[in-house]
Amino acid sequence: MDQNKFIDDLISQMTVEEKAAQMLQVPVSVVGMDAAREWARKGVGSFLNALGSEMEELQKVSCEESRLKVPVIFGIDAVHGHGLNRKATIFPSQLAMAASWNKDIAHKAAEVTATEVATDGIHWNFSPVLCLARDPRWGRTDETFGEDKYLAGELGAAMIEGYQGDDLSDDTSVLACAKHFIGYGEATGARDSYDTEITFRKIRDEFLPPFRKAIDAGCATVMSAYGSIDGTPLTVNKKALRGILRDEMGFDGVTVTDWDTVNALITRQRVCGNHGDASRLAADAGNDMIMCTMEYYDAVIEEVKSGRLDEAVLDEAVRHILTVKCRLGVWEKPLKTGKPGSIGCDEHHEAALEAARGSVVLLKNDGILPLDPGKKIRKIAVIGPNADDIRAQYGDWTYFTHPVPGIEKEPERPYVTLLEGIREQTESTGIKVEYSYGCSVNRMGYYKGNFAGIPEFMEQCYKDNAHRYDSYKEMPYINEAAAMARSADIIILALGDNYNQHGEYNDRADLRLSGMQEALFRVLSTLHIPLITVLISSKPLAIPEVVKKSDAVICAFNGGMYGGRAVAETIFGKLNPSGRLPISFPYTTGQVPVYYNQFPGWHEGRYVDCPEKPLFAFGEGLSYTWYEYSDLKFDAASKTVSVNVKNTGDKAGTEVVQIYVEDVVSSVMTAVKNLAGFSRVELQPGESKEVSIRLDDEAFMITRPDETRVIEPGEFVIYAGHSSKDEDLLKVSVTL
Ligand code: GLC
């Protein structure tokens, strides 16, 4: 039967109660199975956070006991692997993956994740995040592709294509979800789910481009954000959800609210005084599916029956939902089948290792790296809280951080921490590797009662001193680490943050190393033993002293199940790092925002107590070889940039050629430069290649105060080079 006719017939049979239920997404982990069964009988549209037998039972009830027998769809957050299943393949976080600047890695990670999620029967993955992390204090920085709209759009589109494949009815294809629409990461003070004081002009200029690429890539669903724009919550922001997303961008898929945001209109944002108003405004603003606000059901039915809400609004939402269900083929196959036996298979693990390798960023190297085991290294001291803590390495949205029924919290092998990776690399070399914890990442008070990863003796210390824990209590452990390090030839120190310090509502006011980590670093740096610092963290941290006093600095962010192996391979030269920063590092917290594409301005380029430039810039990353750029050309007719890149070192390597565009004079202020293209190029020692990149019109556009997007004729500067820093770029002026 013709799909539209099928849907028309179904809607014509549905009562207003069944339409309201179809718009609801119910969290099984919250309501429990008894209530979930009842919702299935009512004809609920979707569940989230259900796995295994619970999911099978709920689909059976939906298909056999509801009046119209419309199958439900199941959603989950598998945002860097199917992380709520302890046997699944865990990839680097989006931020770490973004450091690879590799669309193939992003696509493969999504393809693997979709296969594993679908093998668990799930239809819908609430991924990718397309928010921009322009203030690293924000707790969800790790979930983003960093600070840049172009990089986020390119990698986000690649993930969407990886999740959805060629046909949503395929066994291993799942619905992707572009989130969170829109401007969510730009909230005042980087406060999660807070108000964002920006204009729609700024939204179109900075935050919309990744969503445009997502829609062009065919993304089936879009999630509206928790926060608000200048006082209007996104949940009821008709201009954003209908005016821009639907009418202008032509999005025809399903919109879904974020978790219980309809209720938040009353309890947090206080723009509604009751569920009737909240439900009516949310439906009217263009939300098709309502996540986790069960009060919506009765309230919206009453709004329709009272005549305050036109039932046609529900019909439109239900049509979007049923259309996506038809595309998934849920009537034919109520649960996804995926690829049996694929969860955690070798091929998937290999993909996670490749992603981890691409994500390693070498930020400083005074020549100490790569280590040569043959060079009189007798002992390596591995120190620090994050050297052997898989929770810190995994980061958010893995089974440590989000409760899903039936999922134990203990890690499942295989995974390789940094300490284990170093032991792998030094096996049968005769090099002695000793480990000392040194100190905790943060004060015990932040631990949510989970001591995993802490040596026995420290756990007891915490428990004995819980009532009066002070950081200084850790001095004995710092001294112990220093004593062990004294006899070492090399110190490898792993610092950063832990899962208590990122994620929703876990924003930070201070980006310095937390707990006693700075004290630990200072003690070790006074030993004057070659010191390699590895940052295993969810975000950039303010580490100027660490950078100054370390002989080498590696940024790994949350590298996933093989993050430790990839860093160890880099340290010992098995891997020539090609990672480039997707986000800038500040000298100090008070310096943020430090994203590279700032407006030109006064401020004289510095604070009285801090430079304006970041500690490390967007696009930065070293290699064990060097690259030279020459012959930059721009063909205005085809908007194609070409530049020659030569490997002038003695090791093969991969360079990430970056292209930026500056609009020299514009009727409204524009950034000093914006990323407009990039390309990874592999070069043997001495080899050179010409790289050509065609630029989109978007690269030359600005958004005028009336919110129109135009290319204003005039002078532009095209940059090509190794990072966003002027000193790393060739440039050519062109007139369009
Ligand atoms: C969360 C997040 C969103 C996630 C959703 C479902 O609060 O904001 O990213 O997909 O709820 O878990």
Side-chain angles (χ1 to χ4, degrees):
M1 177 196 291
D2 169 63
Q3 178 181 297
N4 287 333
K5 180 150 180 14
F6 170 75
I7 291 171
D8 290 344
D9 286 356
L10 203 43
I11 292 176
S12 67
Q13 297 172 57
M14 290 172 91
T15 62
V16 65
E17 289 78 6
E18 288 163 334
K19 292 172 186 174
Q22 191 60 216
M23 292 176 71
L24 208 50
Q25 181 175 62
V26 170
V28 178
S29 52
V30 172
V31 304
M33 277 301 284
D34 293 344
R37 283 187 204 92
E38 278 316 301
W39 282 113
R41 290 188 187 98
K42 282 179 182 169
V44 75
S46 174
F47 289 106
L48 81 159
N49 289 353
L51 280 175
S53 59
E54 291 188 341
M55 176 197 297
E56 286 153 16
E57 182 186 344
L58 291 172
Q59 187 65 296
K60 193 168 182 305
V61 172
S62 299
C63 295
E64 296 174 8
E65 298 176 33
S66 70
R67 188 176 75 90
L68 294 172
K69 307 189 184 344
V70 176
V72 291
I73 51 177
F74 290 89
I76 202 162
D77 294 275
V79 295
H80 55 104
H82 184 19
L84 299 182
N85 176 330
R86 63 200 291 270
K87 296 186 184 303
T89 303
I90 307 293
F91 284 89
S93 66
Q94 270 193 212
L95 187 67
M97 230 184 310
S100 72
W101 291 57
N102 189 328
K103 290 187 275 189
D104 294 339
I105 280 182
H107 187 279
K108 182 69 177 172
E111 211 176 31
V112 165
T113 302
T115 300
E116 298 198 358
V117 158
T119 303
D120 264 349
I122 296 165
H123 307 94
W124 189 3
N125 188 9
F126 303 125
S127 173
V129 168
L130 298 180
C131 308
L132 303 184
R134 302 192 330 150
D135 184 332
R137 293 175 295 173
W138 184 34
R140 302 186 73 173
T141 295
D142 61 295
E143 293 185 57
T144 72
F145 287 116
E147 67 192 36
D148 180 74
K149 57 192 174 186
Y150 182 87
L151 185 60
E154 291 295 300
L155 298 177
M159 286 197 92
I160 288 159
E161 288 162 358
Y163 286 135
Q164 298 190 161
D166 300 327
D167 184 328
L168 285 176
S169 66
D170 288 348
D171 293 341
T172 58
S173 296
V174 299
L175 302 175
C177 183
K179 70 183 188 181
H180 307 79
F181 197 79
I182 187 147
Y184 177 36
E186 193 71 2
T188 303
R191 295 176 206 143
D192 190 35
S193 307
Y194 198 70
D195 188 60
T196 299
E197 291 167 290
I198 52 176
T199 62
F200 273 94
R201 190 199 75 79
K202 185 75 174 181
I203 282 172
R204 292 173 187 282
D205 223 35
E206 199 61 42
F207 304 104
L208 216 47
F211 284 90
R212 191 181 310 280
K213 288 182 180 172
I215 291 168
D216 291 348
C219 195
T221 72
V222 169
M223 185 183 294
S224 51
Y226 276 129
S228 52
I229 297 171
D230 188 20
T232 300
L234 270 306
T235 308
V236 294
N237 203 310
K238 211 167 180 176
K239 175 171 180 177
L241 295 181
R242 285 193 188 280
I244 294 178
L245 181 61
R246 294 273 186 203
D247 301 345
E248 284 182 39
M249 299 174 82
F251 177 64
D252 62 358
V254 167
T255 54
V256 58
T257 72
D258 203 336
W259 188 291
D260 204 20
T261 55
V262 174
N263 205 11
L265 297 171
I266 303 165
T267 60
R268 291 178 182 264
Q269 293 159 320
R270 307 210 315 259
V271 292
C272 296
N274 57 67
H275 280 287
D277 291 347
S279 302
R280 182 183 70 255
L281 291 174
D284 193 44
N287 293 287
D288 298 326
M289 194 144 259
I290 309 297
M291 184 190 288
C292 299
T293 307
M294 273 60 85
E295 298 89 343
Y296 174 84
Y297 177 74
D298 292 328
V300 82
I301 290 166
E302 179 50 34
E303 289 303 299
V304 170
K305 289 184 172 173
S306 69
R308 288 187 294 269
L309 178 66
D310 184 339
E311 187 164 351
V313 171
L314 272 57
D315 293 350
E316 182 192 20
V318 169
R319 178 176 302 282
H320 290 145
I321 294 166
L322 296 178
T323 301
V324 150
K325 290 187 174 184
C326 285
R327 291 180 61 200
L328 280 168
V330 288
W331 275 273
E332 294 75 28
K333 282 188 188 171
L335 287 178
K336 279 290 177 182
T337 52
K339 190 176 169 190
S342 67
I343 294 182
C345 68
D346 292 348
E347 184 209 335
H348 289 182
H349 287 176
E350 186 55 33
L353 175 56
E354 278 314 302
R357 285 169 171 157
S359 303
V360 178
V361 186
L362 178 60
L363 289 175
K364 179 183 179 184
N365 182 17
D366 70 356
I368 186 176
L369 293 180
L371 293 184
D372 176 356
K375 259 189 194 157
K376 293 195 302 304
I377 298 174
R378 288 166 300 108
K379 173 180 169 182
I380 295 176
V382 180
I383 295 171
N386 285 0
D388 198 33
D389 182 345
I390 194 59
R391 283 163 177 67
Q393 187 170 307
Y394 271 9
D396 206 359
W397 292 103
T398 55
Y399 36 74
F400 307 128
T401 54
H402 285 74
V404 177
I407 303 297
E408 300 77 21
K409 286 217 178 265
E410 283 321 301
E412 175 98 7
R413 291 286 179 180
Y415 56 78
V416 178
T417 63
L418 177 59
L419 174 62
E420 292 166 342
I422 292 164
R423 291 197 197 287
E424 283 179 341
Q425 293 299 322
T426 53
E427 209 168 348
S428 69
T429 61
I431 295 174
K432 186 179 179 190
V433 174
E434 273 191 55
Y435 173 57
S436 183
Y437 187 74
C439 69
S440 63
V441 163
N442 53 25
R443 293 169 63 89
M444 194 276 287
Y446 291 153
Y447 277 98
K448 293 172 183 165
N450 190 326
F451 292 95
I454 293 180
E456 209 61 41
F457 62 85
M458 286 203 77
E459 182 170 335
Q460 197 48 49
C461 161
Y462 284 135
K463 287 176 177 164
D464 294 348
N465 297 283
H467 57 293
R468 52 184 175 78
Y469 178 82
D470 287 305
S471 291
Y472 75 86
K473 283 282 182 247
E474 294 194 314
M475 280 318 291
Y477 308 110
I478 291 176
N479 294 337
E480 184 179 283
M484 182 274 279
R486 270 196 187 83
S487 58
D489 303 298
I490 303 279
I491 298 172
I492 298 176
L493 173 61
L495 302 171
D497 62 13
N498 210 322
Y499 69 80
N500 318 75
Q501 295 174 293
H502 57 71
E504 287 175 51
Y505 315 125
N506 285 345
D507 312 316
R508 287 179 64 165
D510 184 349
L511 291 171
R512 286 176 309 165
L513 289 165
S514 56
M516 294 292 279
Q517 295 184 90
E518 283 183 353
L520 173 63
F521 177 81
R522 285 196 188 115
V523 167
L524 295 175
S525 65
T526 61
L527 300 179
H528 300 299
I529 293 172
L531 175 55
I532 300 159
T533 300
V534 180
L535 193 68
I536 295 176
S537 65
S538 67
K539 62 179 61 186
L541 296 175
I543 52 170
E545 184 182 355
V546 167
V547 172
K548 187 176 175 192
K549 296 179 179 173
S550 297
D551 299 283
V553 177
I554 291 175
C555 171
F557 292 136
N558 299 116
M561 63 195 296
Y562 291 118
R565 177 175 292 166
V567 173
E569 289 177 343
T570 302
I571 290 173
F572 289 90
K574 301 288 177 39
L575 171 69
N576 185 0
S578 62
R580 302 285 181 269
L581 288 181
I583 190 168
S584 307
F585 272 64
Y587 276 96
T588 175
T589 310
Q591 190 192 21
V592 297
V594 285
Y595 50 81
Y596 81 96
N597 49 351
Q598 303 261 353
F599 276 174
W602 295 357
H603 196 232
E604 301 310 330
R606 55 102 191 92
Y607 294 89
V608 291
D609 52 357
C610 180
E612 196 170 80
K613 292 201 177 304
L615 178 61
F616 290 111
F618 177 80
E620 261 197 272
L622 301 176
S623 165
Y624 291 145
T625 188
W626 288 265
Y627 303 101
E628 203 171 78
Y629 285 75
S630 60
D631 300 331
L632 170 61
K633 293 192 283 290
F634 178 71
D635 174 58
S638 63
K639 293 200 178 71
T640 301
V641 184
S642 60
V643 67
N644 193 286
V645 192
K646 180 173 184 178
N647 178 344
T648 57
D650 60 3
K651 289 183 179 61
T654 299
E655 169 65 328
V656 179
V657 177
Q658 300 162 40
I659 307 296
Y660 297 87
V661 172
E662 174 192 358
D663 189 341
V664 177
V665 177
S666 45
S667 60
V668 290
M669 292 175 73
T670 48
V672 293
K673 59 172 80 80
N674 274 310
L675 182 71
F678 65 89
S679 174
R680 296 170 55 81
V681 58
E682 294 178 10
L683 292 168
Q684 293 303 315
E687 183 182 13
S688 65
K689 283 180 184 170
E690 179 173 273
V691 177
S692 290
I693 297 174
R694 194 194 171 291
L695 304 185
D696 300 333
D697 286 353
E698 176 76 22
F700 302 88
M701 285 187 172
I702 65 165
T703 307
R704 285 180 166 159
D706 66 1
E707 298 184 33
T708 54
R709 298 274 295 159
V710 292
I711 296 178
E712 289 181 337
E715 188 189 355
F716 292 84
V717 177
I718 311 293
Y719 297 90
H722 178 75
S723 85
S724 63
K725 296 194 297 186
D726 287 338
E727 57 265 38
D728 283 343
L729 294 167
L730 295 182
K731 64 181 182 182
V732 62
S733 286
V734 297
T735 301
L736 291 186

